[in-house]
Amino acid sequence: MYVRAVPTTDLNRNTEWFTYPGVWTTYILIVFFSWILVLSVFNCSPGIAWTVVNLTHFLVTYHFFHWKKGTPFSDDQGIYNRLTWWEQVDNGKQLTRNRKFLTVVPVVLYLIASHTTDYQHPMLFFNTVAVFVLVVAKFPHMHKVRIFGINADQ
Amino acid sequence: MITIPYLTALTTYFSYGLLFAFGQFRDFFRKIFDWWRANNLQGYAPICLGLEDFYTRRLYLRIQDCFGRPIASAPDAWFDVVERYSNDNNKTLKRTTNISRCLNLGSYNYLGFAASDEYCTPRVIKSLKRFSPSTCSARVDGGTTTLHTELEERVANFVQKPSAIVFGMGYVTNSAILPVLIGKGGLIISDSLNHNSIVNGARGSGATVRVFQHNTPLHLEKVLREQIAEGQPRTHRPWKKIIVIVEGIYSMEGELCKLPEIVAICKKYKAYVYLDEAHSIGAVGKSGRGVCELLGVDTADVDIMMGTFTKSFGSCGGYIAGSKELIQYLKYSCPAHLYATSISPPAAQQIISAIKVILGEDGTSRGAEKLAQIRENSNFFRSELQKMGFEVLGDNDSPVMPIMLYNPAKIPAFSRECLMQKVAVVTVAFPATPLLLARARICISAAHTKEDLVKALEVISQVGDLVGIKYFPAEPEKQEQLKEMIKMD
């Protein structure tokens, strides 16, 4: 019922909230409840609902984790202005538990979405593109890499 | 250690996610609207990118009326709060001429010197007439009066160090001293919850900064060993010097530093200790001399002792106390001493008189009474709050007690409800505290009487029930327990 909140050594206020207990559960619960919401609003089949959830998840997480750079407050005087959220998490250390969890979630979503749509096109194509982009963006080798200068600074 | 109910953690994350999503939507539509409207920038770059002040615009401004409330009297135990109203949903606030007399639970008025004092105020007024409000000069030019030299001697004597130097502003003391003490090639190891002034000073110094887990001497030792073994980044040469920075009482947690263990570790690895006693000087310890006295640490072991006069002494400014050579060096090199205007003479006189009262040199025992009063008040208040079921942080004897709120919606709810019942509290949220751990911070003063504290407890208990922050089970009264036992028989 109660959990302990140990203060972290992460000074970056933008990412240190991810180290407290309850984040992973909240993430999974938000994904699950948005599936139920899509089902109730659009009255579609469960497979289409999972595809919709997977694609919105792709757009939202790509935008906030891998596209937006910097922090939403100015206290830190812009020292993280060149780094996306993904590059700021855990102070840039690769292959931590948080990063592994966040890499597994799109894969699991892909498996659920493709299974419940019976691997039919065109949903399979879109789902595959989504998971491919998300997982490649999270590779340790892609740290601070800007392909073709997309999203690089001036 | 903060224990959160798991469900509260989940709902807090969800609430922040919702607020964030709404903020993003509004920003998105604002961008579309502004596309059409001509901007009056005329080719200049905008002052800030849209993302930098996202938090201020979309989250802070919504509850702006809970922060920065203007007051219209001295910050004594009871003070006048100016009422404000807003016509555009808190984006701008307008002051009215109405004031409401509220109980002050937010000012750092630990010993009650914030309001007019029978010993200090006449002397301050006399020095105001003699020396005028400002010296209009830096210390090295014409700004050193007899008050300044007397103040430095008294501070050194109070803190039990050979010598001290005094500055006009507390924040500046940290941020201007650290760049002078250490530079590139040095290592600063600071506690993860240190104050922003220390973080700024450390960043400005150019030294490498490492952080150790809050108040965990074992982790400090681990970081020290690792860093000493590795040496400077890239060249791996040994560090020029290592300074470990800790605070006496952490203002957001209310807990004391584990000073004896940390000093022992620093002695072992030959690192300097910098102790920031902003909240603990004058408020803890048998004769008010701070955490060193309370925890039994010899002041000769702490190399640099820093403190401010804004909390317990009712004045402004900060000081650094250390060895004669250190203070002499600072007087030659610190920009806050060479270029900044010296501390205002009436403020200096207030500190001198306050120190005299605390040490009992004014002939009365008011100092000792105040110290006993604040200890009693804090312990009583904290134990009552814990009995009611609130989650209160901080050690015993510490006059700062944060009450955990967690959910972002409870912050303005608690603040506004308490203000309606004439109790003024300070609520703190992200980014001053971690995202999950928003709190209402209560500062007890020696000027609070027992009736004030009882009224505050009633109001906080009522508001706590309304807002739903009693996360721990309340302990029933012992008498009721006894009655029930008798009934059962």
Side-chain angles (χ1 to χ4, degrees):
Chain A
M1 230 206 97
Y2 289 99
V3 282
R4 288 198 171 281
V6 182
T8 56
T9 52
D10 191 356
L11 280 183
N12 183 1
R13 291 277 183 210
N14 193 18
T15 55
E16 56 113 41
W17 58 272
F18 211 74
T19 56
Y20 283 93
V23 197
W24 292 8
T25 317
T26 315
Y27 189 10
I28 296 175
L29 282 178
I30 290 182
V31 167
F32 180 68
F33 279 118
S34 58
W35 174 67
I36 293 190
L37 196 67
V38 167
L39 262 186
S40 33
V41 167
F42 291 127
N43 196 18
C44 50
S45 72
I48 301 285
W50 276 119
T51 310
V52 169
V53 166
N54 191 18
L55 294 178
T56 356
H57 173 261
F58 162 58
L59 287 171
V60 168
T61 50
Y62 188 77
H63 179 78
F64 287 117
F65 288 179
H66 301 283
W67 187 264
K68 275 247 139 109
K69 294 193 283 197
T71 51
F73 26 80
S74 43
D75 284 0
D76 51 16
Q77 298 169 324
I79 47 182
Y80 300 110
N81 271 355
R82 295 172 153 246
L83 299 177
T84 62
W85 190 87
W86 181 256
E87 289 158 2
Q88 292 172 31
V89 158
D90 287 335
N91 262 325
K93 206 166 117 182
Q94 299 298 324
L95 298 176
T96 59
R97 296 189 70 199
N98 281 331
R99 285 177 185 250
K100 287 182 194 162
F101 170 75
L102 287 176
T103 318
V104 162
V105 168
V107 175
V108 167
L109 268 181
Y110 172 66
L111 291 173
I112 297 178
S114 38
H115 172 80
T116 47
T117 57
D118 282 332
Y119 302 93
Q120 292 162 358
H121 281 298
M123 286 80 68
L124 186 63
F125 175 68
F126 289 129
N127 284 335
T128 316
V129 164
V131 80
F132 185 73
V133 171
L134 277 184
V135 172
V136 166
K138 295 182 165 66
F139 278 167
H141 287 286
M142 294 294 285
H143 185 69
K144 291 205 213 166
V145 168
R146 307 272 180 256
I147 312 178
F148 298 136
I150 304 175
N151 204 16
D153 313 301
Q154 286 82 4
Chain B
M1 226 8 77
I2 304 181
T3 29
I4 318 177
Y6 198 59
L7 204 59
T8 309
L10 298 182
T11 52
T12 311
Y13 284 125
F14 179 69
S15 314
Y16 272 111
L18 201 64
L19 283 169
F20 185 73
F22 266 95
Q24 294 287 336
F25 274 133
R26 293 181 83 152
D27 272 357
F28 177 65
F29 284 115
R30 171 59 50 191
K31 234 196 278 206
I32 296 186
F33 278 171
D34 281 347
W35 205 270
W36 266 277
R37 206 195 302 164
N39 58 354
N40 51 357
L41 284 174
Q42 292 165 347
Y44 284 90
I47 283 187
C48 58
L49 313 163
L51 4 126
E52 259 176 14
D53 56 349
F54 172 79
Y55 176 78
T56 314
R57 274 178 301 116
R58 296 301 176 197
L59 271 74
Y60 177 81
L61 284 185
R62 281 174 161 230
I63 52 173
Q64 209 196 141
D65 64 315
C66 302
F67 305 109
R69 296 188 180 130
I71 62 176
S73 72
D76 200 9
W78 286 83
F79 66 165
D80 299 325
V81 178
V82 174
E83 290 170 20
R84 302 186 287 180
Y85 69 94
S86 172
N87 288 332
D88 51 0
N89 206 14
N90 271 353
K91 240 168 101 174
T92 52
L93 289 164
K94 299 199 204 351
R95 294 194 313 264
T96 60
T97 46
N98 300 335
I99 52 172
S100 60
R101 188 125 189 110
C102 297
L103 178 62
N104 183 2
L105 289 180
S107 300
Y108 303 135
N109 181 17
Y110 298 141
L111 293 181
F113 282 116
S116 175
D117 185 77
E118 59 188 12
Y119 181 81
C120 300
T121 312
R123 287 169 175 74
V124 169
I125 295 181
K126 217 165 58 166
S127 76
L128 174 68
K129 292 192 180 138
R130 180 176 168 203
F131 286 108
S132 93
S134 166
T135 56
C136 299
S137 172
R139 282 291 295 272
V140 288
D141 294 329
T144 307
T145 61
T146 46
L147 280 179
H148 292 90
T149 36
E150 189 190 344
L151 175 60
E152 288 183 348
E153 268 170 38
R154 280 196 185 271
V155 165
N157 180 27
F158 185 65
V159 173
Q160 289 171 332
K161 276 288 210 187
S163 145
I165 179 176
V166 164
F167 302 100
M169 191 175 143
Y171 189 99
V172 152
T173 310
N174 267 331
S175 44
I177 285 290
L178 284 171
V180 169
L181 286 178
I182 191 169
K184 195 153 171 282
L187 174 67
I188 294 183
I189 305 186
S190 94
D191 190 290
S192 69
L193 293 177
N194 268 342
H195 190 248
N196 190 266
S197 54
I198 298 175
V199 173
N200 261 336
R203 283 204 189 129
S205 67
T208 313
V209 181
R210 291 279 174 264
V211 163
F212 72 96
Q213 244 175 35
H214 173 62
N215 234 358
T216 318
L218 288 176
H219 194 245
L220 169 65
E221 181 158 13
K222 182 162 164 275
V223 171
L224 261 174
R225 289 176 72 95
E226 207 182 295
Q227 290 303 317
I228 293 178
E230 275 184 17
Q232 296 183 28
R234 269 180 276 129
T235 57
H236 295 292
R237 294 209 190 114
W239 295 104
K240 291 209 179 124
K241 67 180 97 151
I242 304 183
I243 301 187
V244 173
I245 309 184
V246 287
E247 287 189 29
I249 291 186
Y250 290 93
S251 57
M252 286 299 158
E253 322 284 311
E255 55 183 28
L256 297 163
C257 160
K258 292 196 182 138
L259 199 56
E261 292 94 329
I262 292 183
V263 163
I265 292 178
C266 292
K267 262 179 152 175
K268 188 167 148 195
Y269 293 96
K270 308 279 191 289
Y272 291 115
V273 179
Y274 183 109
L275 177 65
D276 178 341
E277 288 209 84
H279 285 265
S280 50
I281 190 76
V284 294
K286 221 158 42 133
S287 60
R289 291 175 205 258
V291 275
C292 289
E293 189 181 12
L294 185 69
L295 298 174
V297 173
D298 188 10
T299 51
D301 289 337
V302 177
D303 304 289
I304 310 156
M305 295 179 67
M306 177 262 174
T308 58
F309 302 120
T310 38
K311 282 85 183 180
S312 308
F313 301 96
S315 179
C316 64
Y319 69 87
I320 298 257
S323 62
K324 277 204 168 14
E325 296 85 16
L326 172 72
I327 302 297
Q328 195 66 10
Y329 169 69
L330 287 178
K331 284 194 171 158
Y332 289 145
S333 53
C334 181
H337 188 259
L338 301 173
Y339 308 119
T341 312
S342 53
I343 186 173
S344 160
Q349 179 61 44
Q350 162 75 18
I351 306 166
I352 296 174
S353 314
I355 293 183
K356 280 200 190 146
V357 172
I358 295 177
L359 290 177
E361 288 170 17
D362 61 331
T364 67
S365 64
R366 278 175 63 224
E369 275 169 21
K370 280 184 194 274
L371 285 166
Q373 179 79 6
I374 188 178
R375 212 180 357 253
E376 215 181 277
N377 281 356
S378 346
N379 288 339
F380 168 67
F381 207 74
R382 180 175 271 118
S383 58
E384 285 298 314
L385 280 178
Q386 278 171 336
K387 270 196 242 173
M388 285 196 245
F390 289 102
E391 181 167 359
V392 183
L393 307 178
D395 298 330
N396 270 331
D397 278 357
S398 153
V400 177
M401 43 196 91
I403 303 180
M404 299 308 295
L405 298 172
Y406 302 122
N407 283 61
K410 296 188 181 178
I411 305 166
F414 189 77
S415 180
R416 288 170 191 161
E417 286 296 320
C418 278
L419 190 64
M420 285 203 304
Q421 308 216 17
K422 307 283 189 215
V423 169
V425 290
V426 165
T427 45
V428 205
F430 186 72
T433 62
L435 184 76
L436 261 192
L437 310 172
R439 60 201 73 178
R441 183 183 62 184
I442 304 219
C443 297
I444 297 290
S445 148
H448 286 136
T449 61
K450 200 65 180 285
E451 293 84 39
D452 294 336
L453 294 183
V454 166
K455 169 175 193 310
L457 282 168
E458 266 172 36
V459 168
I460 292 181
S461 180
Q462 236 177 33
V463 174
D465 276 327
L466 186 65
V467 167
I469 50 179
K470 292 192 178 173
Y471 294 114
F472 288 161
E475 290 168 40
E477 296 277 341
K478 288 231 168 81
Q479 284 198 346
E480 289 197 24
Q481 259 182 338
L482 211 55
K483 267 194 222 159
E484 281 183 19
M485 283 171 61
I486 297 174
K487 264 194 210 159
M488 303 256 283
D489 284 337

